[in-house]
């Protein structure tokens, strides 16, 4: 009897050494579970075992042997999640098993283990619990380390995206007598997929634009940064809006793998000819106000990046306009919801714009945000919000 006890202790010591070495060697999770399984089979004379851990899909069986049916992937009955953190096995009515014990790390439940053994566990019970604890704590530490690495990688990616996005927007916007431009940008996440720009073409002409990419976060910001770089390069080569948009569509189609699209509005105003040429690529209705007249700029083509070539495309030109106000925005503005699940909508926005022609564009944006915040109440914004206002006084 004494010899048997010594043999068991020797087996237990060897098992602990093997498991500890495997942990120190940083073996993958599946390998650690295999070592655990074969250790129990060879050294502890356990006939049947099922080990359950928490996964994305819930508590499921990860290690199983000896049972009539394969339990891998089977869910754990909820009642076993309430087992107390005590060393010792508890009798169970679970099919084919006679004992169950929980494995805790501090106050967190890591696993629930079901066993059946012909031999009386006795002092082996503590060893079984310790062995399981070592394996599962090692796996938990791996998970936490992996999670930390992923978070760190995302943080670095986010920092890069922020720096890239800072280059998207113009550093200065004109605020002179004949031309005032004001912009407001509120990203939903740390980085967003909205974009606006002002590009001076020559002494008489400038381009103003606004865009919104499908998707959120870092991927959207990076796709939009590529779009901005392409636009600025194209404007240096040509002033033809049809040509610019056709090439932008191709670039977006390739960069986004036809899975992401961009809505886009661009207008080129010529102070010399007093004309505005524009194209709307699936973007929201752009509001142009001249005196008391409101015109919605909708014509152009469909969203960019979904079809190559575009199924249709055209530009529109407005002539003999020397004093007007243009307001562009992204759908995060009109699709803001209140506590009754109503959206802010275009009509509420238009009601504000229909007031007297603004002299202070920044004040107009503040007024819109004030009304918007009062409308949404406690509801959070769910998308990026961008506004771009342009006031022309070309007398």
């Amino acid at each position: 009897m004494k010899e048997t006890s010594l043999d068991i202790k020797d087996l237990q010591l060897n098992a602990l050494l093997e498991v500890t070495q495997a942990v120190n060697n940083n073996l993958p999770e599946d390998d650690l579970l295999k070592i655990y399984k074969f250790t129990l089979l060879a050294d502890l004379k356990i006939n049947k075992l099922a080990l359950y851990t928490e996964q994305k899909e819930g508590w499921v069986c990860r290690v199983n042997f000896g049972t009539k049916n394969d339990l891998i992937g089977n869910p754990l009955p909820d009642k076993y999640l309430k087992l107390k953190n005590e060393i010792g096995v508890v009798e169970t009515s679970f099919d084919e098993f006679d004992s169950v014990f929980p494995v805790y790390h501090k106050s967190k439940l890591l696993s629930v283990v079901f066993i059946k053994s012909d031999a009386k566990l006795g002092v082996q019970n503590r060893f079984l619990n310790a062995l399981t604890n070592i394996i599962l704590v090692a796996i938990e530490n791996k998970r936490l380390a992996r999670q930390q690495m992923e978070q760190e990688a995302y943080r670095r990616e986010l920092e890069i995206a922020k720096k890239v996005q800072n280059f998207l927007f113009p550093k200065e916007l004109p605020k002179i007598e004949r031309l005032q431009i004001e912009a407001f940008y509120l990203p939903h996440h740390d980085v967003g997929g909205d974009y606006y720009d002002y590009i001076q073409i020559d002494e008489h002409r400038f381009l103003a634009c606004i865009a919104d990419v499908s998707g959120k976060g870092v991927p959207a910001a990076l796709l939009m940064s590529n779009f901005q770089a392409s636009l600025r390069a194209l404007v240096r080569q040509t002033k033809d809006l049809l040509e610019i948009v056709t090439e932008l569509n191709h670039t977006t189609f390739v960069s986004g793998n036809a899975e992401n699209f961009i809505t886009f509005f661009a207008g080129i105003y010529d102070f010399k000819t007093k004309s505005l040429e524009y194209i709307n690529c699936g973007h929201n209705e752009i509001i142009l106000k001249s005196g008391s007249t409101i015109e919605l700029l909708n014509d152009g083509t469909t969203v960019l990046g979904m079809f190559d070539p575009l199924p249709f495309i055209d530009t529109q030109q407005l002539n003999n306009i020397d004093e007007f106000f243009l307001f562009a925005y992204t759908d995060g503005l009109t699709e803001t919801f209140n506590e009754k699940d109503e959206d802010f909508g275009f009509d509420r926005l238009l009601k504000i714009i229909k007031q007297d022609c603004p002299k202070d564009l920044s004040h107009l944006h503040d007024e819109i945000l004030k009304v918007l915040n009062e409308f949404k109440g406690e509801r959070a914004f769910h998308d990026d919000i961008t506004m771009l206002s342009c006031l022309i006084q070309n007398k």
Side-chain angles (χ1 to χ4, degrees):
M1 185 74 176
K2 186 176 180 181
E3 184 178 351
T4 303
S5 177
L6 288 173
D7 288 342
I8 291 173
K9 287 185 177 181
D10 189 46
L11 287 172
Q12 291 176 352
L13 180 60
N14 288 333
L16 286 174
L17 288 172
E18 182 180 1
V19 168
T20 303
Q21 185 177 11
V23 171
N24 290 338
N25 288 337
N26 200 28
L27 292 183
E29 180 178 330
D30 287 343
D31 288 352
L32 291 177
L33 290 175
K34 285 178 183 177
I35 290 172
Y36 173 76
K37 173 181 176 178
F38 291 125
T39 299
L40 298 186
L41 275 170
D43 299 339
L44 289 184
K45 299 179 181 179
I46 291 176
N47 306 115
K48 298 179 181 181
L49 177 134
L51 179 145
Y52 289 77
T53 63
E54 187 176 19
Q55 304 297 303
K56 289 182 180 179
E57 62 273 22
W59 281 81
V60 295
C61 183
R62 299 289 308 285
V63 179
N64 173 228
F65 62 79
T67 54
K68 294 178 182 177
N69 299 314
D70 186 4
L71 300 179
I72 297 296
N74 282 12
L76 174 71
D78 290 341
K79 65 179 182 179
Y80 292 107
L81 294 175
K82 300 177 183 178
L83 293 173
K84 294 181 180 180
N85 184 10
E86 298 175 351
I87 294 179
V89 295
V90 179
E91 291 186 1
T92 177
S93 58
F94 201 30
D95 289 348
E96 302 189 59
F97 301 104
D98 52 28
S99 303
V100 58
F101 67 93
V103 178
Y104 279 84
H105 178 56
K106 298 180 180 179
S107 61
K108 182 177 181 181
L109 179 64
L110 296 183
S111 175
V112 177
V113 183
F114 296 87
I115 54 176
K116 181 176 178 59
S117 176
D118 292 336
K120 290 184 178 181
L121 289 176
V123 294
Q124 291 179 252
N125 178 35
R126 287 181 176 274
F127 169 73
L128 177 60
N129 198 302
L131 183 69
T132 307
N133 196 283
I134 290 172
I135 289 288
L136 293 178
V137 168
I139 290 174
E140 176 70 3
N141 288 338
K142 280 177 174 290
R143 185 190 68 80
L144 292 173
R146 184 168 59 248
Q147 187 179 64
Q148 186 175 3
M149 289 176 63
E150 289 172 353
Q151 290 174 345
E152 179 62 23
Y154 179 76
R155 186 189 64 79
R156 289 196 299 269
E157 186 181 51
L158 195 61
E159 286 181 357
I160 294 171
K162 281 182 179 180
K163 290 178 180 178
V164 169
Q165 192 171 52
N166 285 336
F167 292 106
L168 283 180
F169 305 113
K171 292 181 180 179
E172 293 183 0
L173 293 172
K175 291 177 175 58
I176 56 178
E177 185 176 352
R178 71 173 186 173
L179 173 61
Q180 295 180 47
I181 294 182
E182 186 73 33
F184 171 84
Y185 173 59
L186 177 68
H188 177 236
H189 297 285
D190 290 327
V191 292
D194 284 3
Y195 160 60
Y196 66 85
D197 211 343
Y198 162 81
I199 303 173
Q200 186 71 43
I201 296 174
D202 55 35
E203 184 181 352
H204 304 292
R205 292 178 295 173
F206 72 88
L207 179 145
C209 68
I210 191 168
D212 186 2
V213 64
S214 62
K216 303 287 187 298
V218 174
L222 293 178
L223 180 60
M224 192 58 87
S225 68
N226 184 57
F227 183 85
Q228 183 251 23
S230 299
L231 172 62
R232 285 182 164 258
L234 285 166
V235 171
R236 287 196 297 268
Q237 299 169 19
T238 178
K239 310 305 179 281
D240 187 328
L241 268 181
L242 286 178
E243 189 176 337
I244 290 171
V245 169
T246 299
E247 188 58 36
L248 283 175
N249 177 68
H250 175 73
T251 301
T252 306
F253 183 85
V254 174
S255 301
N257 296 316
E259 296 176 357
N260 296 90
F261 61 86
I262 292 177
T263 66
F264 177 62
F265 171 87
I268 295 178
Y269 184 74
D270 190 325
F271 283 97
K272 191 173 183 179
T273 62
K274 297 183 179 181
S275 64
L276 173 69
E277 183 185 17
Y278 79 86
I279 186 166
N280 190 324
C281 308
H283 199 75
N284 309 304
E285 296 177 306
I286 305 301
I287 303 170
L288 186 142
K289 183 178 181 182
S290 180
S292 59
T293 303
I294 296 285
E295 186 171 354
L296 304 181
L297 311 184
N298 294 319
D299 298 324
T301 185
T302 186
V303 297
L304 306 182
M306 291 296 290
F307 310 98
D308 191 24
L310 289 163
F312 62 93
I313 183 171
D314 196 10
T315 63
Q316 296 294 321
Q317 184 159 310
L318 306 177
N319 298 311
N320 300 317
I321 53 171
D322 52 10
E323 293 188 37
F324 65 92
F325 165 66
L326 185 144
F327 182 81
Y329 60 96
T330 56
D331 57 15
L333 174 59
T334 51
E335 293 179 5
T336 294
F337 287 85
N338 65 11
E339 293 165 343
K340 296 179 181 179
D341 212 31
E342 301 168 330
D343 65 355
F344 187 73
F346 178 74
D347 290 340
R348 287 186 177 88
L349 173 63
L350 189 59
K351 185 178 179 181
I352 301 172
I353 301 298
K354 278 184 174 179
Q355 298 171 11
D356 293 338
C357 195
K359 300 298 182 184
D360 186 335
L361 300 182
S362 179
H363 178 73
L364 171 67
H365 290 181
D366 289 342
E367 178 65 21
I368 292 173
L369 286 172
K370 178 184 176 182
V371 175
L372 189 66
N373 276 297
E374 290 174 352
F375 170 81
K376 76 177 184 66
E378 296 299 318
R379 285 285 293 264
F381 293 116
H382 74 283
D383 198 358
D384 306 330
I385 294 177
T386 301
M387 294 184 283
L388 180 70
S389 293
C390 178
L391 182 61
I392 299 288
Q393 299 180 82
N394 183 25
K395 300 178 180 178

